[in-house]
Amino acid sequence: GLVMKEDTNCSQFPDFYFAIGHLILDWATREAANADTMLPVAEAAWRKCLRLGERPDLVGAVHGRGSNLAAHNLALVLECTGRVAEAASVRAQYSLPTNRMLA
């Protein structure tokens, strides 16, 4: 639907995928029974942000949505799904603090 249409229009805009990740995460928290199918979609959105990187050349781009903000959200999802070592790697790559809840 709308996301697929906008995916074509916003394919180089990390802010778009950042927002999708948040939308899906919010949905997953409200529909906990379906979280197992929704969290991978949020994870994929934040990974796409990181692949795109920062895009200050795009109007309205928010610094961090192609780097540390997306990496932080990705690390949280990885930690919540039991992939602590992978989350630690993401945190190290983007110089994010360790999750004190897991330390």
Side-chain angles (χ1 to χ4, degrees), residues 5 15 20-21 23 29 38 43 46 50 66 70 72 74-75 92 95:
K5 179 182 175 206
D15 297 65
I20 294 297
L23 177 67
T29 59
M38 287 187 258
E43 177 183 335
W46 290 317
L50 297 175
H72 170 77
L74 175 60
S95 301

Side-chain angles (χ1 to χ4, degrees), residues 7-58:
D7 184 54
T8 301
N9 295 333
C10 300
S11 65
Q12 298 302 307
F13 201 51
D15 297 65
F16 173 72
Y17 296 100
F18 190 86
I20 294 297
H22 268 286
L23 177 67
I24 299 299
L25 181 62
D26 186 52
W27 187 10
T29 59
R30 293 172 194 256
E31 305 262 343
N34 297 318
D36 287 347
T37 57
M38 287 187 258
L39 287 177
V41 177
E43 177 183 335
W46 290 317
R47 287 185 187 279
K48 175 85 177 208
C49 292
L50 297 175
R51 280 193 306 277
L52 291 172
E54 292 297 327
R55 292 297 310 265
D57 57 307
L58 298 174

Side-chain angles (χ1 to χ4, degrees), residues 4 29 33 53 57 60 62 65 72-73 78 82 92 99 103:
M4 293 306 288
T29 59
D57 57 307
V62 175
R65 289 185 174 170
H72 170 77
N73 291 346
L78 292 170
N99 187 338

Side-chain angles (χ1 to χ4, degrees), residues 45-99:
W46 290 317
R47 287 185 187 279
K48 175 85 177 208
C49 292
L50 297 175
R51 280 193 306 277
L52 291 172
E54 292 297 327
R55 292 297 310 265
D57 57 307
L58 298 174
V59 175
V62 175
H63 181 73
R65 289 185 174 170
S67 61
N68 62 317
L69 296 175
H72 170 77
N73 291 346
L74 175 60
L76 289 176
V77 167
L78 292 170
E79 289 161 353
C80 289
T81 55
R83 294 174 286 164
V84 178
E86 189 177 354
S89 176
V90 169
R91 287 181 181 282
Q93 182 179 356
Y94 288 90
S95 301
L96 300 173
T98 29
N99 187 338

